[in-house]
Amino acid sequence: MSNQSYRDSQFLDGLSGEELFNMQIGLTYRDFLVLPGFIDFHPSEVELETRLTKKIRLKRPFVSSPMDTVTESSMAIAQALMGGIGIIHYNNTIDQQVSEVTKVKRFENGFITDPVVLGPKHTIHDLDRIKEKHGFTGIPITEDGTRNSKLIGIVTNRDIDFERERSITVDKVMTTEVITGKAGITLKEANDIIKKEKIGKLPIIDKDGKLVSLVSRSDLKKNKDFPDSSKDENKRLRCGAAVSTLPESRDRVATLYEAGVDVIFIDSAQGNSIYQIEMLKFIKANFRNLEVVGGNVVTRGQAENLIQAGADGLRIGMGPGSICITQDTMAVGRAQATAVYQTAFHAAKHDVPVIADGGISNIGDIANALAIGASACMMGFMFAGTNEAPGEYFYENGIRLKKYRGMASIEAMKAGGDKRYFNEGQKVKVAQGVSGSVVDRGSILNFIPYLSQGIRLSFQDMGYKSIQELHKGLREGKLRFERRSESAQAQGSVHSLYSYNAPSLRAE
């Protein structure tokens, strides 16, 4: 029996998407399951390419959230290399945000354009702190400790491993005869030098001897090939940026546009406002070919208003995030699965993709979001504990953690997060988010393949080879669902064991 004949047969259990989500109750991703389909293909045949906006396509349906503990340039570069996209937050000045976007757009695979450097009077203690924070040594030494002065040496592990006195300045131990490459060198040429000279780091210098970038042997191995990279027409990595609806954001958009940003996310907790509609119309009227995602919205009426104002994509979610307390505090919002289905159903009539934002804590949540109409998933919690997320690791009860905070937490609002909650300048701050911590998840470069493989396996179980096929099955009522009770949810998870080892979300 073919896959198609199975789906068209009279033996259709469960509910269609329309039947499931027309019930007068809000549903989360955990409140239903997709019923299994027919398998006649291998997981490797599943294609995860999708649309972020009307014009921008991604090889992977992953978007990192514009939160100040989630996405800056390191995260955005890693997301783009792996086929997704990162959205740079705006808890910063215009110049700072533009600088982060520029790092992504100027990134050359294998070249570290903002290497950590030290000056000659720094100590081995400083090197130890860098190793603890970043996990590497091999630090270029310049005359004044910045990249704006001449390279005078390099310090590697072999220079300091057996030095007991850690207060010694690095000029006493550094290697001064440094093998370098000249600015303009290709990555292949740099790689050939590293292989020939058997070195771990190759500083790239300009005609004045100033450090331009750094090439690392480990990065060359790690960054050898990213065939699914998200790139623009000029072969630069794609990058998005968030802006508010405040008047200052018009200048912010203009500067980001000049820096080459690919997509603007108008970042409002409640996106159905005259302020966002005016911002949408302003951007579409003044910046040719700049894609704009509106949001956040959770109803068809909200979605229609932003689509009519020119939105090229919609961001869906109000209150489902792990650090968000909007629904409790404001008594406004919507259960996330219901919000995604209803807005996606409506937006599809206008050929506008939707991005499920919030409420995702595992692979199953991602698969469910895609199954009910989302084209991509925006995640904060899932990516906050990775190496590429801003912030430093710390230990609590022996567990390696990173800070993760909602943009409506008191802490984040003091840094500017209140712009998305129409709360800027108010004397009394009402928190709609909390600050917390998340477990170390390793590098995005390992984590994304893990998530991708999990989704492929889920799609195989559903019986669909692509997001496009899945959405077609949803619209035609061939993709079937079933509500599940609280006891069914409990039974579908780990139960009845004396003890067990939980699977880790840290991809090695």
Side-chain angles (χ1 to χ4, degrees):
M1 180 183 292
S2 71
N3 197 4
Q4 189 61 44
S5 62
Y6 170 80
R7 290 182 190 149
D8 289 341
S9 73
Q10 59 181 311
F11 306 109
L12 285 178
D13 290 340
L15 305 169
S16 67
E18 183 177 9
E19 291 167 334
L20 176 65
F21 289 103
N22 278 347
M23 297 179 181
Q24 298 304 307
I25 186 172
L27 304 178
T28 72
Y29 298 133
R30 305 299 170 85
D31 291 324
F32 66 92
L33 289 173
V34 178
L35 296 184
F38 181 73
I39 298 176
D40 60 356
F41 56 91
H42 191 269
S44 62
E45 297 177 58
V46 174
E47 176 56 62
L48 296 180
E49 184 171 339
T50 191
R51 292 194 306 161
L52 178 76
T53 66
K54 288 181 178 179
K55 294 180 180 178
I56 296 177
R57 301 192 71 85
L58 303 174
K59 290 291 187 180
R60 298 286 181 273
F62 304 129
V63 186
S64 63
S65 180
M67 304 171 72
D68 59 8
T69 52
V70 178
T71 309
E72 291 180 349
S73 57
S74 293
M75 175 66 73
I77 288 169
Q79 289 287 348
L81 287 174
M82 300 308 297
I85 193 169
I87 314 302
I88 306 292
H89 71 86
Y90 61 61
N91 260 20
N92 45 31
T93 66
I94 293 176
D95 287 344
Q96 288 171 335
Q97 189 179 29
V98 167
S99 174
E100 295 299 310
V101 170
T102 300
K103 289 176 186 176
V104 183
K105 301 305 292 185
R106 290 182 179 175
F107 177 82
E108 293 183 69
N109 198 15
F111 287 90
I112 303 168
T113 56
D114 57 345
V116 176
V117 300
L118 292 176
K121 296 308 176 183
H122 281 96
T123 67
I124 297 177
H125 275 308
D126 295 315
L127 289 164
D128 291 337
R129 282 192 287 269
I130 289 171
K131 185 173 183 179
E132 182 180 355
K133 178 179 178 181
H134 298 288
F136 60 77
T137 55
I139 307 299
I141 309 301
T142 63
E143 288 179 333
D144 67 0
T146 74
R147 287 189 290 117
N148 294 318
S149 62
K150 190 175 180 179
L151 179 74
I152 59 174
I154 191 168
V155 180
T156 65
N157 273 329
R158 65 171 175 263
D159 298 317
I160 62 173
D161 272 350
F162 301 107
E163 183 57 62
R164 293 184 178 180
E165 182 51 66
R166 310 309 276 184
S167 62
I168 292 175
T169 56
V170 296
D171 59 348
K172 301 291 197 307
V173 296
M174 69 184 184
T175 300
T176 55
E177 295 181 4
V178 184
I179 298 169
T180 61
K182 299 296 184 183
I185 192 174
T186 67
L187 188 60
K188 183 181 184 306
E189 290 169 338
N191 197 9
D192 289 341
I193 294 173
I194 287 175
K195 288 179 180 176
K196 179 182 177 182
E197 302 295 338
K198 295 181 173 62
I199 55 177
K201 300 284 175 65
L202 178 69
I204 309 299
I205 59 175
D206 64 15
K207 58 183 177 60
D208 298 319
K210 294 180 179 180
L211 187 66
V212 174
S213 61
L214 189 69
V215 180
S216 167
R217 175 187 288 272
S218 61
D219 283 342
L220 284 172
K221 290 188 290 185
K222 184 170 61 179
N223 296 345
K224 185 177 179 182
D225 190 21
F226 293 98
D228 296 324
S229 295
S230 303
K231 294 184 177 180
D232 62 22
E233 60 277 4
N234 296 315
K235 304 301 181 184
R236 301 175 301 177
L237 293 183
R238 287 201 182 276
C239 179
V243 302
S244 74
T245 57
L246 296 176
E248 68 94 18
S249 280
R250 299 193 175 201
D251 293 333
R252 191 177 282 260
V253 171
T255 313
L256 290 165
Y257 179 75
E258 290 300 318
V261 74
D262 295 282
V263 57
I264 291 291
F265 276 62
I266 303 179
D267 193 26
S268 300
Q270 211 283 52
N272 187 31
S273 71
I274 187 62
Y275 315 110
Q276 179 153 160
I277 288 171
E278 289 176 350
M279 180 63 76
L280 265 168
K281 290 180 177 178
F282 167 78
I283 296 173
K284 299 306 293 184
N286 290 279
F287 302 97
R288 188 171 60 90
N289 296 326
L290 181 57
E291 296 286 277
V292 186
V293 173
N296 281 27
V297 297
V298 293
T299 71
R300 288 175 292 174
Q302 289 179 301
E304 177 66 17
N305 282 345
L306 299 192
I307 290 170
Q308 291 302 319
D312 301 298
L314 294 174
R315 185 176 166 194
I316 312 304
M318 191 172 180
S322 61
I323 39 68
C324 187
I325 56 173
T326 294
Q327 292 181 9
D328 281 346
T329 306
M330 302 292 111
V332 179
R334 196 172 200 181
Q336 182 67 348
T338 299
V340 170
Y341 176 83
Q342 296 294 358
T343 52
F345 182 84
H346 182 77
K349 298 174 184 177
H350 300 274
D351 194 34
V352 173
V354 306
I355 302 157
D357 175 23
I360 291 172
S361 59
N362 61 28
I363 291 169
D365 295 336
I366 299 171
N368 269 349
L370 297 173
I372 60 177
S375 291
C377 294
M378 175 172 278
M379 289 170 275
F381 165 78
M382 293 287 277
F383 296 142
T386 60
N387 296 350
E388 292 79 6
E392 299 181 19
Y393 286 109
F394 63 94
Y395 286 88
E396 186 174 303
N397 298 323
I399 305 298
R400 196 169 189 242
L401 307 169
K402 260 192 180 180
K403 182 178 289 187
Y404 177 47
R405 67 187 189 189
M407 296 296 275
S409 64
I410 294 296
E411 187 179 347
M413 284 196 290
K414 288 179 180 177
D418 49 0
K419 288 181 283 190
R420 78 185 302 265
Y421 291 85
F422 305 102
N423 199 30
E424 189 179 51
Q426 300 294 310
K427 291 182 179 180
V428 178
K429 305 288 188 184
V430 179
Q432 296 184 47
V434 300
S435 296
S437 57
V438 290
V439 175
D440 167 27
R441 291 207 172 115
S443 173
I444 283 291
L445 302 181
N446 297 323
F447 194 39
I448 293 295
Y450 166 77
L451 296 178
S452 299
Q453 183 63 10
I455 295 171
R456 290 190 185 98
L457 291 168
S458 176
F459 274 38
Q460 184 191 43
D461 284 342
M462 295 179 192
Y464 291 87
K465 291 184 179 180
S466 70
I467 294 172
Q468 292 71 36
E469 278 190 19
L470 192 63
H471 289 177
K472 185 172 185 289
L474 174 68
R475 292 192 301 271
E476 293 177 352
K478 295 173 184 175
L479 184 67
R480 309 298 288 183
F481 302 88
E482 187 168 83
R483 281 287 310 278
R484 58 176 181 162
S485 64
E486 290 185 10
S487 57
Q489 292 178 45
Q491 193 173 71
S493 187
V494 178
H495 64 90
S496 305
L497 300 179
Y498 172 72
S499 63
Y500 72 99
N501 295 319
S504 172
L505 278 177
R506 191 187 193 283
E508 300 296 340

